[in-house]
Structures are given as structure tokens and as C-alpha cells.
Amino acid sequence: MEKYVIHGGKPLHGEVEISGAKNAAVAIIPAAIMVRGVCRLENLPQISDTDTLLHILTYMGARVNAINRTTVEVDCTDVQMDCLPEEMWSLTRKIRASYYLVGAMLGRFGRACSTMPGGCNFGVRPIDQHIKGLTALGADMDVSGGFIRAEAGGGRLRGNTVYLDKVSVGATINIMIAAATAEGRTVIENVAREPHIVDLANFLNSMGADVRGAGTNVIKIRGVRQLHGGTYALIPDQIEAGTYMAAVAAVGGAVRVSNVIPKHLECISSKLREMNVEVEEGDDYVLVRRAEPLRAADIKTMPYPGFPTDMHPQMTAVLCCAPGRSVMTEGVWSSGRFKYVGELRKMGADIQVEEQSAFVQGGRRLTGAVVRACDLRAGAAVVIAGLAAEGTTVVEDINYIERGYQNLVGKFRALGADICCVDEPDLPGERTLGWIAG
Ligand code: UD1
């Protein structure tokens, strides 16, 4: 099993370039099924979740051509599959975003069949709002025995008004994809406003769709008969950028985080400033420098533009380094987001969890330990804690981390961190995935 080995305590200096947004990529790749023609996708992150989805599309009959490390051409013209066979189930059950394949197949073929999705375990992850939305568009939905089956009456979805009872990123994306080629007009109310929702809308529009209002809480879609090919560059990853910013806050040093959209980082930047971390914004970069002393803070996660839940574990690692009492309150997931706490405690962190809040008594020096990546962002949190800790930290179950962070080890090493991936014979941190040329 591969592991990260970290010798902590080395301040971070230099520049880190942020990759394309994972959560945009995992929506846009399935959406390409809707397109008859070549989608040239630029700034794709080189992570295992995108690899998995491209593998599924290839199996479905798409032609996937890697142009370089971050650009892929996907041609779904000949895809005819509306039901994913058993060979694909282990993959669709591994990642959360596989449920977007249902929206895309339903939009293109009027029928869809796949397994229930997988992904990070935050306790119960209902999909009732996805079902509600797709049903409103005229699909007959059956969710049973671990499968999702959908069939549009008359073979094509029909536009409708959908009100989401809960602000859901996944439901907003799935309904948007399916509605792009539905007959007539769809209005989705109380939608999520995350940057990758806007990115998906921009992708669909550049392929000929008519999607308006993404980034506000109402999205209006006028269905078109067919989508055509085109070129689209994905936005940079807000959470990857936030993770490096958090690492500088916890470990110390000064880093230029480049290839970012600073506006997407405002919620993170303003919280870090409150903690006495200097954040200077440029056009497409932020300069992050930790001043002394780090100050305690209270944080509550909320849907965008609130503080992102996907930065919760990493920021708790930072709070452990800030003298005084801080509180991290989870406002999106009702359970399962606190699994990292047990791992940070192994490193000497003083954290108590009550209901939806972690109470942190910060400022004690963390010490190295053998810890697990319990999920993607929990894994990032223990890496940050390991970089800040005294002594050696070993991070196990790193496959979770590699689902969402491109070349994490290589990027931290370039900033001066002492981190390596054991059992990596050649270049530590540089992983070659199936679809990458060379
Ligand atoms: C996406 C992200 C995930 C992030 C989350 C919130 C992807 C692949 N994953 O997950 O990293 O943590 O957004 O920013 O993009 N809910 C319902 N019914 C539904 C759907 C959701 O009640 O049908 C609830 C959930 O239990 C949760 C809340 O709504 O409490 C938000 O979930 P949602 O935004 O859908 O998260 P995901 O799209 O699964």
C-alpha cells in the first residue's frame, strides 16, 4: 500500500499552480455524453476521479484522445449505451459523480440505468432532490436494489419548474444536464451557486445549450434539440487552492498560489485574514503569508458563497495551530464530516465534537503519528497537520487523497516540504493515469 511520509516543521515558500476544478470536471465529463461532436476539454485535473469517468465514457463507446497532460478530446457521437453493464458497476459505485451519467443518458437517450453512486462517506447522502427534479421533467424513476433506472415518457424529457427543497450541488447539476435537451423550458429554483455550477452552465452553453442564471438561485434552461462540439477550459479548483492556502497558514512561510480565480477564494481569504494570515489578491493568483501569532477563529460551513464544507477538515487542522479556542461548525452535512478528528487527536490535537461543532483548543505543538485519510478532505487535513507537526507522520489510505488532488506530493515538495510517497520508484508524487499521453 502506498503511503505518504512527512517530516514536518518546514515552512512553505515559492509558487504552486492550481489544477482544474475536480467538481467541475466530474460534472462536465458526463455532460459530454449529451454532445454529438468533439468536446475539447482544457485544464482538466489529472486525478483518479476524472480518470474513472473517462474510462466509463470510453467503455460506453466514446472516443477519448489525450492531447496533453491537461487537455482531452471526448467524442460521444457514437455512444449508444443507456444502461451501464456489470463491468462498470465497481467504477460507478466508487465515485459520487457517477449519478451525473444518469442525467446525461436520460437527456440524450430518454433512458438511463446505473448503480447508486459512491464517493466520500458523510453518513446518509440522499438523492431525493435528483429524483424529484428528473421526475418533474417527465422521467419515470425507479431507485431500488442499489440501482437507478429512469425512462422519459415519449422518449424525451419535457421542461418544467422544479423547486429544490434543499440546496444541492449534485441535484442542481443533474437536472441542468438532463434539461439541456428537454423539450421546452425548465426553471430550477433554490439551486446551488458554487463556481462549478456556473462552469457547467458555461460548458453547456458553449456546446449550444441555452442555460441562464447559473450563479444565482434560479436557473432557466430553454431546451435545444441537440448539442454540438466545441472547446472549453475548466475553472481552477477552489478547494485545491484553499488547501494550499490553509497549509501556509498552519505551517508558516509565504506562497504564491497561482492559476486561481481570487473571487472564488474570498470566503477562505477573509477567514484566513481574520486569523492573521496575509492574503494579497492579484488577477489570477493570491499571495499568502502567515504573520505571527496565528489567531483563533469560529467558522461555519455553508453553501457557496459561504465557507465551503470541503474546506472544513483542512481548516480545523489550521485551527489546531492557532493558540486559543476555536469552533468549526458543519452547516452542510448532517453527519460523517468529523472523521478526521480522531486522526488529528492521534497527533496531539485537542478537539471535542458536540453535535455539529468541533471545539478546538489550539496552539499545542502537533506531533507526528501514523494516521489515515478517512476521506478526500480528511486526508488533506492530516497532510496539513503532518506538515505542521514535529517529527514524522505516515498517512495511510492515500487513494482517497489522489481522487481529488493532482500531484499533491510533488506540489508540496516544490514548496520545500519534506513529503514523499513511499513505493514510488521514480518521481515521487508524479502519477501517470491511463488517459494521459506519454
Ligand atoms: C457536492 C460535492 C461535495 C461537497 C458538496 C457540498 C461533488 C462531486 N461533490 O456533493 O464535495 O461536499 O457538494 O458542497 O461535487 N441533499 C439532500 N437530498 C439530495 C441531495 C442532497 O437532502 O437529493 C442534502 C445532503 O444530504 C447535504 C446537502 O443536501 O446535506 C448538500 O448536498 P449536495 O450539495 O447535493 O452535495 P453533493 O452534490 O453530493
Side-chain angles (χ1 to χ4, degrees):
M1 283 292 244
E2 290 178 336
K3 298 164 186 182
Y4 294 158
V5 178
I6 304 168
H7 301 290
K10 298 202 166 46
L12 304 173
H13 287 281
E15 178 166 1
V16 60
E17 187 163 332
I18 298 307
S19 303
K22 164 189 171 283
N23 287 348
V26 299
I28 287 172
I29 294 170
I33 291 174
M34 303 277 287
V35 179
R36 286 168 216 255
V38 178
C39 294
R40 186 183 166 101
L41 303 177
E42 299 174 348
N43 203 31
L44 263 190
Q46 197 182 341
I47 52 177
S48 64
D49 268 17
T50 51
D51 194 32
T52 301
L53 283 164
L54 288 167
H55 188 81
I56 295 171
L57 259 61
T58 305
Y59 188 89
M60 292 173 76
R63 279 194 292 274
V64 175
N65 184 16
I67 305 299
N68 58 43
R69 294 166 64 83
T70 58
T71 304
V72 169
E73 286 183 350
V74 181
D75 183 354
C76 291
T77 308
D78 296 330
V79 169
Q80 289 179 351
M81 203 175 274
D82 57 17
C83 187
L84 290 169
E86 195 169 350
E87 297 90 290
M88 292 292 103
W89 294 351
S90 62
L91 297 182
T92 53
R93 286 185 176 131
K94 197 164 86 178
I95 57 172
R96 194 74 200 154
S98 65
Y99 51 25
Y100 301 143
L101 297 165
V102 172
M105 289 188 286
L106 192 54
R108 167 114 181 235
F109 306 114
R111 274 165 55 90
C113 172
S114 184
T115 66
M116 285 290 280
C120 291
N121 178 3
F122 303 140
V124 184
R125 294 185 76 171
I127 60 163
D128 57 306
Q129 298 305 305
H130 300 240
I131 306 303
K132 176 180 174 177
L134 298 176
T135 304
L137 298 184
D140 189 4
M141 304 293 300
D142 171 30
V143 182
S144 57
F147 291 88
I148 310 173
R149 296 178 192 82
E151 179 135 17
R156 189 179 175 200
L157 295 171
R158 286 183 308 280
N160 201 350
T161 296
V162 184
Y163 181 89
L164 296 181
D165 303 314
K166 179 104 193 184
V167 176
S168 159
V169 171
T172 304
I173 289 175
N174 228 343
I175 302 164
M176 274 169 81
I177 294 174
T181 55
E183 198 180 333
R185 191 164 180 261
T186 297
V187 179
I188 323 171
E189 296 178 339
N190 196 30
V191 294
R193 292 181 282 165
E194 267 66 5
H196 43 285
I197 304 274
V198 179
D199 211 34
L200 173 67
N202 289 341
F203 164 78
L204 289 169
N205 286 343
S206 62
M207 305 294 146
D210 183 355
V211 181
R212 295 173 197 203
T216 73
N217 55 8
V218 180
I219 293 178
K220 295 175 182 160
I221 302 165
R222 200 170 286 283
V224 295
R225 190 81 224 180
Q226 199 166 303
L227 300 181
H228 55 69
T231 296
Y232 191 74
L234 278 70
I235 53 166
D237 196 304
Q238 175 206 29
I239 305 300
E240 189 197 14
T243 299
Y244 286 97
M245 293 167 77
V248 178
V251 184
V255 170
R256 180 181 166 113
V257 182
S258 62
N259 184 36
V260 299
I261 299 175
K263 182 157 181 45
H264 293 168
L265 301 173
E266 268 168 12
C267 39
I268 301 164
S269 304
S270 71
K271 195 47 79 174
L272 287 175
R273 287 190 187 110
E274 202 181 306
M275 297 180 71
N276 204 19
V277 177
E278 292 168 13
V279 182
E280 193 186 314
E281 291 176 7
D283 288 344
D284 63 351
Y285 64 88
V286 288
L287 288 174
V288 186
R289 195 179 77 82
R290 181 172 129 178
E292 295 297 338
L294 202 55
R295 283 198 289 264
D298 293 346
I299 303 175
K300 179 169 184 186
T301 69
M302 285 191 281
Y304 191 82
F307 193 89
T309 175
D310 284 355
M311 280 300 298
H312 161 162
Q314 303 92 308
M315 279 304 281
T316 310
V318 182
L319 297 178
C320 291
C321 303
R325 185 180 142 102
S326 296
V327 186
M328 169 63 79
T329 301
E330 176 56 42
V332 175
W333 295 106
S334 56
S335 62
R337 186 99 251 193
F338 291 96
K339 280 180 286 177
Y340 67 91
V341 168
E343 305 306 305
L344 292 185
R345 279 200 194 124
K346 289 181 195 164
M347 303 177 74
D350 181 349
I351 310 175
Q352 307 301 325
V353 178
E354 276 172 38
E355 295 182 350
Q356 286 301 97
S357 295
F359 296 88
V360 182
Q361 194 60 47
R364 287 188 183 187
R365 190 73 207 238
L366 298 171
T367 48
V370 177
V371 290
R372 281 183 58 225
C374 304
D375 60 49
L376 169 57
R377 308 305 171 185
V382 292
V383 168
I384 290 173
L387 293 170
E390 215 161 57
T392 304
T393 296
V394 176
V395 182
E396 297 179 335
D397 292 342
I398 59 167
N399 55 312
Y400 281 111
I401 300 175
E402 305 206 339
R403 281 189 35 212
Y405 287 94
Q406 176 174 332
N407 188 22
L408 177 120
V409 167
K411 288 184 184 183
F412 271 124
R413 283 172 73 91
L415 296 176
D418 186 345
I419 175 172
C420 66
C421 183
V422 296
D423 295 330
E424 279 287 333
D426 299 326
L427 290 172
E430 279 292 8
R431 305 181 58 73
T432 304
L433 300 173
W435 55 274
I436 301 296

